[in-house]
Amino acid sequence: MTATEKTGRLRQDLERRIVHGLSCEWDVALWVLPEKYREELRKPLFSLRDMRQRLGEWDPGKREITLGRQFVMAHPWCAVRDV
């Protein structure tokens, strides 16, 4: 395996962990809501994408929250979570 392939795999693994972390943050955030709202809210999909003009976006058709890859990689977790 070349160094480039290793770097690519490490990046993919890191991105998977970030998306998983966002999903876990959603679960934690639900616990501050009354139970009736927790049951009504469905977890969205989470993804990372190259975005130059935005930190993130919501796609209601796909029920997906997408965060900018550059933003996520360059900022602390608390900032990523807040977005």
Side-chain angles (χ1 to χ4, degrees):
M1 181 181 300
T2 68
T4 302
E5 291 171 330
K6 287 180 184 179
T7 301
R9 286 191 182 198
L10 285 172
R11 185 178 184 95
Q12 286 176 341
D13 185 52
L14 176 59
E15 289 186 10
R16 262 194 309 274
R17 289 170 187 254
I18 290 168
V19 169
H20 177 73
L22 292 169
S23 178
C24 291
E25 291 286 356
W26 175 273
D27 292 337
V28 170
L30 284 181
W31 288 104
V32 301
L33 298 174
E35 188 173 347
K36 67 179 183 175
Y37 296 119
R38 280 186 263 158
E39 293 172 356
E40 291 177 12
L41 288 175
R42 290 186 342 202
K43 184 185 289 190
L45 299 173
F46 293 94
S47 65
L48 302 179
R49 189 174 74 212
D50 291 331
M51 302 173 89
R52 300 273 181 218
Q53 302 296 319
R54 300 181 185 148
L55 300 179
E57 65 185 15
W58 163 248
D59 182 336
K62 294 181 182 177
R63 293 194 42 76
E64 180 177 34
I65 295 173
T66 303
L67 294 180
R69 185 175 280 117
Q70 297 83 353
F71 166 71
V72 169
M73 296 300 182
H75 291 82
W77 184 251
C78 60
V80 173
R81 182 189 61 223
D82 288 349
V83 170

